[in-house]
Amino acid sequence: MLMYNKQKKTQGQAGKNRLLISITVIGSAGPIRFVVNAEELVASVMDTALKSYAREGRLPVLGSNVNEFVLYCPIAGTEALSPVEAIGSFGIRNFMLCKKPQPMEEVGGDGKPVTVGITRKNSGSWKSWFNKSFNLKVSTH
């Protein structure tokens, strides 16, 4: 009976500051779910998510460098979360992990690489795609 009370007491204390979070990786089949301390830093959570992603053998292969990724909260807005903040300070449990956009490099006329801004092949937004897809052309006959 004494052992049972000690286990119950320690479980109750540990459960107060732990969160079950869900991280969706862009291009992956489903979210990664794991338990973290609410005081854990965003960078540490990203590292855990990348390691878990690799251990499960998910595709596409991402790598393990935390500095190449950003963590977003789809509900809170479009700003990336600061890597030095506590994950529990946001009050949210669903996140999205994205790779940082890398600038493209081109070789200039003198043979030196020139960094160019990020370009898009498409027009840019889902709204413009939607408007182009459902553009109704009304003919007179």
Side-chain angles (χ1 to χ4, degrees):
M1 185 70 170
L2 180 63
M3 189 70 132
Y4 174 73
N5 288 337
K6 284 185 180 181
Q7 284 180 340
K8 189 175 181 181
K9 189 174 183 179
T10 57
Q11 287 175 353
Q13 290 173 350
K16 289 182 182 177
N17 61 353
R18 296 181 64 90
L19 302 170
L20 174 65
I21 63 170
S22 175
I23 298 180
T24 302
V25 179
I26 300 296
S28 182
I32 300 169
R33 292 182 182 95
F34 53 94
V35 177
V36 296
N37 287 326
E39 296 84 23
E40 200 166 336
L41 298 179
V42 170
S44 175
V45 170
M46 289 171 42
D47 185 47
T48 303
L50 289 171
K51 287 178 182 176
S52 177
Y53 185 91
R55 185 178 29 237
E56 293 176 11
R58 293 185 179 218
L59 295 174
V61 176
L62 298 177
S64 61
N65 188 358
V66 176
N67 297 325
E68 294 178 1
F69 295 91
V70 290
L71 194 66
Y72 289 97
C73 175
I75 299 169
T78 58
E79 292 294 318
L81 304 179
S82 173
V84 294
E85 289 190 59
I87 196 75
S89 67
F90 303 106
I92 315 165
R93 296 182 182 190
N94 296 320
F95 300 96
M96 187 173 295
L97 186 68
C98 305
K99 203 161 197 163
K100 285 182 184 176
Q102 300 295 323
M104 299 172 62
E105 290 189 4
E106 293 181 359
V107 178
D110 57 353
K112 294 181 181 178
V114 178
T115 302
V116 181
I118 301 168
T119 60
R120 291 185 164 173
K121 294 179 182 177
N122 57 9
S123 59
S125 72
W126 67 272
K127 289 180 183 177
S128 61
W129 171 84
F130 183 79
N131 289 335
K132 286 179 183 178
S133 298
F134 294 104
N135 189 8
L136 298 175
K137 296 181 181 179
V138 179
S139 61
T140 56
H141 292 91

Short mmCIF file of all heavy atoms in Angstrom, two decimals, residues 66-114:
data_model
loop_
_atom_site.label_atom_id
_atom_site.label_comp_id
_atom_site.label_asym_id
_atom_site.label_seq_id
_atom_site.Cartn_x
_atom_site.Cartn_y
_atom_site.Cartn_z
N VAL A 66 18.67 21.35 -36.60
CA VAL A 66 17.53 22.14 -36.12
C VAL A 66 17.53 23.54 -36.72
O VAL A 66 16.47 24.14 -36.91
CB VAL A 66 17.55 22.20 -34.57
CG1 VAL A 66 16.46 23.09 -34.03
CG2 VAL A 66 17.45 20.82 -33.99
N ASN A 67 18.70 24.06 -37.05
CA ASN A 67 18.80 25.42 -37.58
C ASN A 67 18.20 25.55 -38.98
O ASN A 67 18.00 26.67 -39.45
CB ASN A 67 20.26 25.88 -37.59
CG ASN A 67 20.82 25.95 -36.19
OD1 ASN A 67 20.11 26.29 -35.25
ND2 ASN A 67 22.08 25.60 -36.05
N GLU A 68 17.93 24.44 -39.65
CA GLU A 68 17.34 24.49 -40.99
C GLU A 68 15.82 24.45 -40.97
O GLU A 68 15.19 24.44 -42.01
CB GLU A 68 17.85 23.30 -41.82
CG GLU A 68 19.33 23.36 -42.11
CD GLU A 68 19.80 22.15 -42.89
OE1 GLU A 68 18.98 21.28 -43.22
OE2 GLU A 68 21.02 22.07 -43.17
N PHE A 69 15.22 24.43 -39.77
CA PHE A 69 13.78 24.29 -39.65
C PHE A 69 13.18 25.38 -38.78
O PHE A 69 13.86 25.99 -37.95
CB PHE A 69 13.43 22.92 -39.04
CG PHE A 69 13.82 21.78 -39.90
CD1 PHE A 69 15.07 21.19 -39.78
CD2 PHE A 69 12.96 21.29 -40.86
CE1 PHE A 69 15.45 20.15 -40.59
CE2 PHE A 69 13.33 20.25 -41.68
CZ PHE A 69 14.57 19.67 -41.54
N VAL A 70 11.89 25.60 -38.96
CA VAL A 70 11.12 26.51 -38.11
C VAL A 70 9.86 25.80 -37.66
O VAL A 70 9.33 24.93 -38.36
CB VAL A 70 10.77 27.83 -38.84
CG1 VAL A 70 11.98 28.69 -39.06
CG2 VAL A 70 10.07 27.57 -40.15
N LEU A 71 9.38 26.16 -36.49
CA LEU A 71 8.17 25.59 -35.93
C LEU A 71 7.10 26.67 -35.92
O LEU A 71 7.33 27.78 -35.43
CB LEU A 71 8.43 25.07 -34.52
CG LEU A 71 7.38 24.16 -33.92
CD1 LEU A 71 7.32 22.84 -34.69
CD2 LEU A 71 7.68 23.87 -32.46
N TYR A 72 5.96 26.35 -36.50
CA TYR A 72 4.84 27.27 -36.57
C TYR A 72 3.68 26.72 -35.77
O TYR A 72 3.56 25.53 -35.55
CB TYR A 72 4.34 27.42 -38.02
CG TYR A 72 5.26 28.16 -38.93
CD1 TYR A 72 6.12 27.48 -39.77
CD2 TYR A 72 5.26 29.55 -38.96
CE1 TYR A 72 6.97 28.16 -40.63
CE2 TYR A 72 6.09 30.23 -39.81
CZ TYR A 72 6.94 29.54 -40.65
OH TYR A 72 7.77 30.20 -41.49
N CYS A 73 2.81 27.61 -35.39
CA CYS A 73 1.52 27.22 -34.85
C CYS A 73 0.48 27.68 -35.84
O CYS A 73 0.29 28.88 -36.04
CB CYS A 73 1.29 27.86 -33.50
SG CYS A 73 -0.35 27.49 -32.91
N PRO A 74 -0.20 26.75 -36.53
CA PRO A 74 -1.14 27.15 -37.57
C PRO A 74 -2.30 27.98 -37.05
O PRO A 74 -2.88 28.78 -37.78
CB PRO A 74 -1.65 25.83 -38.14
CG PRO A 74 -0.91 24.75 -37.48
CD PRO A 74 -0.08 25.33 -36.40
N ILE A 75 -2.63 27.85 -35.78
CA ILE A 75 -3.76 28.59 -35.23
C ILE A 75 -3.37 30.02 -34.87
O ILE A 75 -4.14 30.95 -35.07
CB ILE A 75 -4.30 27.86 -33.97
CG1 ILE A 75 -4.76 26.46 -34.35
CG2 ILE A 75 -5.41 28.63 -33.30
CD1 ILE A 75 -5.06 25.57 -33.18
N ALA A 76 -2.17 30.20 -34.33
CA ALA A 76 -1.76 31.49 -33.79
C ALA A 76 -1.36 32.52 -34.85
O ALA A 76 -1.42 33.70 -34.60
CB ALA A 76 -0.61 31.30 -32.83
N GLY A 77 -0.94 32.10 -36.02
CA GLY A 77 -0.54 33.06 -37.04
C GLY A 77 0.56 32.53 -37.91
O GLY A 77 0.88 31.35 -37.90
N THR A 78 1.17 33.44 -38.65
CA THR A 78 2.17 33.03 -39.63
C THR A 78 3.61 33.23 -39.14
O THR A 78 4.53 32.93 -39.86
CB THR A 78 1.99 33.83 -40.93
OG1 THR A 78 2.10 35.23 -40.63
CG2 THR A 78 0.65 33.55 -41.55
N GLU A 79 3.79 33.73 -37.94
CA GLU A 79 5.13 33.95 -37.41
C GLU A 79 5.70 32.64 -36.86
O GLU A 79 5.01 31.89 -36.18
CB GLU A 79 5.11 34.99 -36.29
CG GLU A 79 4.78 36.39 -36.77
CD GLU A 79 5.86 36.95 -37.67
OE1 GLU A 79 7.06 36.78 -37.36
OE2 GLU A 79 5.50 37.56 -38.69
N ALA A 80 6.97 32.40 -37.14
CA ALA A 80 7.65 31.23 -36.59
C ALA A 80 7.87 31.43 -35.10
O ALA A 80 8.06 32.55 -34.63
CB ALA A 80 8.98 31.03 -37.30
N LEU A 81 7.83 30.33 -34.36
CA LEU A 81 8.04 30.41 -32.92
C LEU A 81 9.51 30.61 -32.62
O LEU A 81 10.38 30.08 -33.31
CB LEU A 81 7.55 29.12 -32.26
CG LEU A 81 6.09 28.75 -32.51
CD1 LEU A 81 5.77 27.44 -31.81
CD2 LEU A 81 5.16 29.83 -32.06
N SER A 82 9.79 31.36 -31.59
CA SER A 82 11.17 31.61 -31.18
C SER A 82 11.75 30.35 -30.57
O SER A 82 11.13 29.73 -29.71
CB SER A 82 11.21 32.75 -30.16
OG SER A 82 12.49 32.88 -29.64
N PRO A 83 12.95 29.94 -30.99
CA PRO A 83 13.54 28.71 -30.47
C PRO A 83 13.93 28.76 -29.00
O PRO A 83 14.18 27.74 -28.38
CB PRO A 83 14.77 28.48 -31.35
CG PRO A 83 14.92 29.66 -32.20
CD PRO A 83 13.74 30.53 -32.05
N VAL A 84 13.96 29.94 -28.39
CA VAL A 84 14.37 30.05 -26.99
C VAL A 84 13.19 30.18 -26.03
O VAL A 84 13.39 30.34 -24.83
CB VAL A 84 15.36 31.22 -26.79
CG1 VAL A 84 16.66 30.96 -27.52
CG2 VAL A 84 14.74 32.52 -27.24
N GLU A 85 11.98 30.12 -26.53
CA GLU A 85 10.81 30.19 -25.66
C GLU A 85 10.39 28.80 -25.21
O GLU A 85 10.68 27.81 -25.88
CB GLU A 85 9.64 30.86 -26.40
CG GLU A 85 9.85 32.34 -26.62
CD GLU A 85 8.59 33.00 -27.14
OE1 GLU A 85 7.57 32.95 -26.46
OE2 GLU A 85 8.66 33.56 -28.24
N ALA A 86 9.67 28.75 -24.11
CA ALA A 86 9.16 27.48 -23.61
C ALA A 86 7.95 27.05 -24.45
O ALA A 86 7.12 27.88 -24.81
CB ALA A 86 8.76 27.61 -22.15
N ILE A 87 7.87 25.76 -24.77
CA ILE A 87 6.80 25.25 -25.62
C ILE A 87 5.44 25.39 -24.95
O ILE A 87 4.43 25.60 -25.61
CB ILE A 87 7.08 23.79 -26.05
CG1 ILE A 87 6.21 23.37 -27.21
CG2 ILE A 87 6.91 22.84 -24.89
CD1 ILE A 87 6.62 23.95 -28.52
N GLY A 88 5.39 25.35 -23.63
CA GLY A 88 4.13 25.46 -22.91
C GLY A 88 3.62 26.88 -22.79
O GLY A 88 2.48 27.10 -22.42
N SER A 89 4.43 27.87 -23.12
CA SER A 89 4.03 29.27 -22.97
C SER A 89 3.02 29.70 -24.03
O SER A 89 2.40 30.75 -23.90
CB SER A 89 5.26 30.18 -23.04
OG SER A 89 5.84 30.15 -24.32
N PHE A 90 2.84 28.91 -25.07
CA PHE A 90 1.92 29.29 -26.14
C PHE A 90 0.50 28.83 -25.88
O PHE A 90 -0.44 29.33 -26.49
CB PHE A 90 2.42 28.71 -27.48
CG PHE A 90 3.80 29.15 -27.82
CD1 PHE A 90 4.86 28.28 -27.71
CD2 PHE A 90 4.06 30.45 -28.22
CE1 PHE A 90 6.14 28.68 -28.01
CE2 PHE A 90 5.33 30.86 -28.52
CZ PHE A 90 6.39 29.98 -28.41
N GLY A 91 0.33 27.84 -25.01
CA GLY A 91 -1.00 27.33 -24.71
C GLY A 91 -1.60 26.53 -25.85
O GLY A 91 -2.80 26.36 -25.94
N ILE A 92 -0.76 26.02 -26.73
CA ILE A 92 -1.20 25.29 -27.91
C ILE A 92 -0.50 23.94 -27.92
O ILE A 92 0.60 23.80 -27.40
CB ILE A 92 -0.84 26.06 -29.20
CG1 ILE A 92 -1.18 27.53 -29.05
CG2 ILE A 92 -1.57 25.50 -30.39
CD1 ILE A 92 -0.55 28.38 -30.08
N ARG A 93 -1.13 22.96 -28.56
CA ARG A 93 -0.53 21.63 -28.60
C ARG A 93 -0.33 21.10 -30.01
O ARG A 93 0.20 20.02 -30.18
CB ARG A 93 -1.40 20.67 -27.80
CG ARG A 93 -1.42 21.06 -26.35
CD ARG A 93 -2.20 20.13 -25.53
NE ARG A 93 -2.21 20.62 -24.15
CZ ARG A 93 -2.65 19.94 -23.15
NH1 ARG A 93 -3.15 18.73 -23.33
NH2 ARG A 93 -2.64 20.44 -21.95
N ASN A 94 -0.76 21.83 -31.02
CA ASN A 94 -0.59 21.40 -32.41
C ASN A 94 0.34 22.37 -33.11
O ASN A 94 0.11 23.58 -33.11
CB ASN A 94 -1.94 21.36 -33.13
CG ASN A 94 -2.86 20.34 -32.53
OD1 ASN A 94 -2.44 19.25 -32.16
ND2 ASN A 94 -4.13 20.68 -32.42
N PHE A 95 1.38 21.81 -33.73
CA PHE A 95 2.39 22.63 -34.37
C PHE A 95 2.69 22.09 -35.76
O PHE A 95 2.32 20.97 -36.10
CB PHE A 95 3.68 22.64 -33.54
CG PHE A 95 3.49 23.19 -32.16
CD1 PHE A 95 3.27 22.33 -31.10
CD2 PHE A 95 3.53 24.54 -31.92
CE1 PHE A 95 3.09 22.81 -29.82
CE2 PHE A 95 3.35 25.04 -30.64
CZ PHE A 95 3.13 24.18 -29.60
N MET A 96 3.40 22.91 -36.55
CA MET A 96 3.79 22.53 -37.90
C MET A 96 5.29 22.81 -38.07
O MET A 96 5.75 23.90 -37.77
CB MET A 96 2.99 23.34 -38.92
CG MET A 96 3.20 22.91 -40.34
SD MET A 96 2.07 23.77 -41.43
CE MET A 96 0.51 23.14 -40.87
N LEU A 97 6.02 21.80 -38.52
CA LEU A 97 7.46 21.91 -38.72
C LEU A 97 7.74 22.06 -40.21
O LEU A 97 7.31 21.24 -41.01
CB LEU A 97 8.17 20.67 -38.17
CG LEU A 97 9.68 20.68 -38.18
CD1 LEU A 97 10.22 21.71 -37.19
CD2 LEU A 97 10.22 19.30 -37.83
N CYS A 98 8.44 23.13 -40.56
CA CYS A 98 8.74 23.42 -41.97
C CYS A 98 10.24 23.67 -42.12
O CYS A 98 10.89 24.17 -41.21
CB CYS A 98 8.01 24.66 -42.44
SG CYS A 98 6.25 24.62 -42.20
N LYS A 99 10.73 23.36 -43.29
CA LYS A 99 12.12 23.65 -43.61
C LYS A 99 12.22 25.13 -43.98
O LYS A 99 11.34 25.67 -44.65
CB LYS A 99 12.59 22.78 -44.77
CG LYS A 99 14.06 22.60 -44.82
CD LYS A 99 14.44 21.41 -45.65
CE LYS A 99 15.87 21.07 -45.29
NZ LYS A 99 16.25 19.76 -45.69
N LYS A 100 13.27 25.79 -43.52
CA LYS A 100 13.47 27.20 -43.86
C LYS A 100 13.73 27.31 -45.36
O LYS A 100 14.44 26.48 -45.94
CB LYS A 100 14.68 27.77 -43.12
CG LYS A 100 14.43 28.04 -41.66
CD LYS A 100 15.66 28.65 -41.05
CE LYS A 100 15.49 28.86 -39.58
NZ LYS A 100 16.72 29.37 -38.95
N PRO A 101 13.17 28.33 -46.01
CA PRO A 101 13.46 28.50 -47.43
C PRO A 101 14.93 28.87 -47.63
O PRO A 101 15.46 29.71 -46.92
CB PRO A 101 12.54 29.64 -47.86
CG PRO A 101 11.95 30.19 -46.62
CD PRO A 101 12.25 29.29 -45.48
N GLN A 102 15.56 28.21 -48.57
CA GLN A 102 16.97 28.46 -48.86
C GLN A 102 17.09 29.35 -50.09
O GLN A 102 16.43 29.09 -51.11
CB GLN A 102 17.70 27.14 -49.12
CG GLN A 102 17.65 26.17 -47.96
CD GLN A 102 18.38 26.71 -46.74
OE1 GLN A 102 19.41 27.36 -46.86
NE2 GLN A 102 17.84 26.43 -45.58
N PRO A 103 17.92 30.40 -50.03
CA PRO A 103 18.10 31.23 -51.21
C PRO A 103 18.83 30.46 -52.30
O PRO A 103 19.68 29.62 -52.02
CB PRO A 103 18.94 32.40 -50.72
CG PRO A 103 19.56 31.94 -49.45
CD PRO A 103 18.67 30.87 -48.89
N MET A 104 18.47 30.74 -53.54
CA MET A 104 19.09 30.07 -54.68
C MET A 104 20.37 30.80 -55.05
O MET A 104 20.46 32.01 -54.94
CB MET A 104 18.12 30.06 -55.87
CG MET A 104 16.83 29.33 -55.58
SD MET A 104 15.63 29.51 -56.87
CE MET A 104 16.47 28.77 -58.23
N GLU A 105 21.36 30.05 -55.49
CA GLU A 105 22.62 30.66 -55.91
C GLU A 105 22.81 30.46 -57.41
O GLU A 105 22.59 29.37 -57.93
CB GLU A 105 23.80 30.06 -55.16
CG GLU A 105 23.85 30.46 -53.71
CD GLU A 105 25.14 30.03 -53.04
OE1 GLU A 105 26.03 29.49 -53.72
OE2 GLU A 105 25.25 30.24 -51.82
N GLU A 106 23.20 31.52 -58.08
CA GLU A 106 23.48 31.45 -59.51
C GLU A 106 24.92 31.90 -59.72
O GLU A 106 25.47 32.66 -58.94
CB GLU A 106 22.53 32.38 -60.28
CG GLU A 106 21.09 31.93 -60.25
CD GLU A 106 20.20 32.86 -61.05
OE1 GLU A 106 20.70 33.85 -61.61
OE2 GLU A 106 19.00 32.59 -61.11
N VAL A 107 25.49 31.43 -60.80
CA VAL A 107 26.85 31.83 -61.13
C VAL A 107 26.77 33.06 -62.02
O VAL A 107 26.08 33.08 -63.04
CB VAL A 107 27.59 30.67 -61.86
CG1 VAL A 107 28.98 31.11 -62.26
CG2 VAL A 107 27.63 29.45 -60.97
N GLY A 108 27.46 34.10 -61.58
CA GLY A 108 27.47 35.35 -62.33
C GLY A 108 28.40 35.28 -63.53
O GLY A 108 29.05 34.26 -63.80
N GLY A 109 28.51 36.36 -64.25
CA GLY A 109 29.35 36.42 -65.44
C GLY A 109 30.82 36.26 -65.12
O GLY A 109 31.61 35.79 -65.94
N ASP A 110 31.23 36.62 -63.90
CA ASP A 110 32.64 36.50 -63.53
C ASP A 110 32.96 35.15 -62.89
O ASP A 110 34.08 34.92 -62.46
CB ASP A 110 33.04 37.64 -62.58
CG ASP A 110 32.17 37.68 -61.34
OD1 ASP A 110 31.18 36.92 -61.27
OD2 ASP A 110 32.48 38.49 -60.45
N GLY A 111 31.97 34.24 -62.81
CA GLY A 111 32.20 32.90 -62.28
C GLY A 111 31.98 32.77 -60.79
O GLY A 111 32.10 31.70 -60.23
N LYS A 112 31.66 33.88 -60.12
CA LYS A 112 31.41 33.84 -58.68
C LYS A 112 29.92 33.59 -58.42
O LYS A 112 29.07 34.08 -59.16
CB LYS A 112 31.81 35.17 -58.03
CG LYS A 112 33.30 35.45 -58.11
CD LYS A 112 33.62 36.75 -57.44
CE LYS A 112 35.10 37.06 -57.53
NZ LYS A 112 35.41 38.35 -56.92
N PRO A 113 29.60 32.81 -57.37
CA PRO A 113 28.19 32.58 -57.07
C PRO A 113 27.52 33.86 -56.55
O PRO A 113 28.10 34.60 -55.78
CB PRO A 113 28.21 31.50 -55.99
CG PRO A 113 29.58 31.51 -55.45
CD PRO A 113 30.48 32.08 -56.50
N VAL A 114 26.32 34.09 -57.02
CA VAL A 114 25.53 35.25 -56.62
C VAL A 114 24.28 34.73 -55.94
O VAL A 114 23.56 33.91 -56.49
CB VAL A 114 25.15 36.11 -57.85
CG1 VAL A 114 24.30 37.29 -57.44
CG2 VAL A 114 26.40 36.56 -58.58
#
